[in-house]
Amino acid sequence: MLQLKSVTKVYPGNTKAVNDVTVTIPNGEFCVLLGPSGAGKSTLMGLINGLVLPTSGSVVLNDEQVDARNQKKVQQRISMIHQQLHLIPRLSMLHNVLSGKLYALPLWRVLAKHFPENDQRRACQLLAEVGLDESQLHRRVSALSGGQQQRVAIARAFMAHPEIVLADEPVASLDPTVSRSVLASLRHTSKQNNTTVVCSLHQVDYALEFADRIIAMREGKIVFDGPPQRVSESELVNIYGSSDDDKSTAIKPVPQIEREVALA
Ligand code: ADP
Ligand code: MG
């Protein structure tokens, strides 16, 4: 269980990026952090994995408070999928996924690309879970499409059995069809491994489609917290302001929510 208790982060220059946020996320939940650019989503993720320490309040991960002394350790228990995937282009899909366990392995094994058999089995299983074909295990990541690379990054994030996977705008640079199937893979892998996922998005329709729970932020505060079924049009205005506020975000309430999307 992850608990944020009255967490505030003020950056130098007096920007209150996260403002008195209290939230509890139970294990295994697929939680979407929704909000326009500048709402505080990335800062909240940084607070969860200890990269950012709160100005006030506390973050507690499975009964352990995240602070300056244990932040490195906490980072090993939490995986992060970045928008710029940080894959190693010249290495194969399989080796990129195995690299998700680097910190836990002795250096000689990494240099010799000698990974324990059970790790290799897990990597193959994860690649199957994200919908990548076994026959491609040894393809270089540089030869893959953007959507395939994103799936490799997802598989890598789950490799070390993290307590939480954080995904910061994981589909920002993908087209809608690929975005949907990547989010379906992320959700599927989260459920298969019973791993909590906190995924930030700025697209309302994806949040409605994939989340167990939507936590919407605006100007550092939580303005909605609940299941997608409870998001109404007035709620969306509350999240994004009037339609003049953020012209880049199309606000289209989805009439029927299809929660479980079959893997492509
Ligand atoms: P989001 O991810 O929702 O776009 P961020 O958490 O990146 O939001 O930013 C929230 C606010 O904090 C913004 O006003 C941003 O400019 C500010 N901010 C983010 N990071 C820093 C930083 N390192 N130093 C100063 N201000 C920052
Ligand atoms: Mg961000």
Side-chain angles (χ1 to χ4, degrees), residues 11-12 15-18 35-44 168-169 200:
Y11 285 116
T15 309
K16 227 178 219 181
V18 169
S37 176
K41 305 182 297 296
S42 295
T43 303
L44 196 73
D168 198 357
E169 309 242 8
S200 72

Side-chain angles (χ1 to χ4, degrees), residues 98-120:
L98 285 164
S99 76
K101 269 204 88 167
L102 283 192
Y103 73 84
L105 291 169
L107 184 63
W108 71 266
R109 277 192 184 274
V110 179
L111 293 175
K113 292 189 189 168
H114 185 82
F115 292 95
E117 215 168 279
N118 55 344
D119 284 350
Q120 298 201 34

Side-chain angles (χ1 to χ4, degrees), residues 1-246:
M1 185 166 72
L2 171 72
Q3 294 166 287
L4 280 76
K5 301 176 181 172
S6 306
V7 173
T8 293
K9 173 63 191 178
V10 184
Y11 285 116
N14 218 22
T15 309
K16 227 178 219 181
V18 169
N19 188 353
D20 195 21
V21 163
T22 296
V23 68
T24 298
I25 300 177
N27 291 340
E29 195 163 59
F30 192 93
C31 193
V32 168
L33 207 53
L34 180 68
S37 176
K41 305 182 297 296
S42 295
T43 303
L44 196 73
M45 292 204 167
L47 287 159
I48 293 171
N49 77 355
L51 269 172
V52 176
L53 291 173
T55 309
S56 60
S58 60
V59 178
V60 181
L61 176 61
N62 292 326
D63 296 324
E64 188 178 355
Q65 184 167 331
V66 183
D67 58 29
R69 279 169 302 138
N70 63 9
Q71 67 189 133
K72 283 266 157 354
K73 274 218 163 104
V74 167
Q75 280 160 29
Q76 293 179 357
R77 294 159 56 192
I78 298 180
S79 287
M80 182 94 185
I81 302 169
H82 297 272
Q83 199 179 315
Q84 317 76 355
L85 309 175
H86 301 307
L87 296 172
I88 309 163
R90 66 186 171 76
L91 290 188
S92 68
M93 264 169 35
L94 179 64
H95 279 121
N96 269 278
V97 176
L98 285 164
S99 76
K101 269 204 88 167
L102 283 192
Y103 73 84
L105 291 169
L107 184 63
W108 71 266
R109 277 192 184 274
V110 179
L111 293 175
K113 292 189 189 168
H114 185 82
F115 292 95
E117 215 168 279
N118 55 344
D119 284 350
Q120 298 201 34
R121 262 199 302 275
R122 174 154 178 82
C124 290
Q125 188 193 335
L126 283 166
L127 283 166
E129 282 174 14
V130 298
L132 287 169
D133 194 71
E134 205 173 318
S135 64
Q136 305 195 6
L137 287 182
H138 298 290
R139 273 185 80 189
R140 277 183 180 211
V141 153
S142 55
L144 302 176
S145 71
Q148 287 171 325
Q149 291 190 3
Q150 187 55 279
R151 289 164 195 272
V152 173
I154 292 170
R156 181 184 57 181
F158 285 82
M159 183 64 207
H161 299 277
E163 288 161 59
I164 300 181
V165 170
L166 302 174
D168 198 357
E169 309 242 8
V171 296
S173 52
L174 302 174
D175 70 48
T177 312
V178 179
S179 293
R180 284 209 154 75
S181 78
V182 164
L183 287 171
S185 292
L186 180 58
R187 186 183 161 91
H188 175 76
T189 312
S190 148
K191 295 300 168 191
Q192 288 291 326
N193 293 273
N194 191 31
T195 303
T196 310
V197 169
V198 179
C199 172
S200 72
L201 294 173
H202 60 265
Q203 302 93 333
V204 178
D205 48 351
Y206 296 163
L208 292 171
E209 203 171 316
F210 293 101
D212 292 328
R213 170 182 179 183
I214 295 174
I215 296 176
M217 293 182 75
R218 188 178 184 193
E219 293 171 3
K221 282 196 166 289
I222 292 182
V223 291
F224 173 86
D225 182 359
Q229 295 84 339
R230 265 192 35 221
V231 178
S232 64
E233 202 158 349
S234 59
E235 221 84 59
L236 292 176
V237 173
N238 199 17
I239 297 164
Y240 283 103
S242 69
S243 53
D244 289 345
D245 283 9
D246 188 350

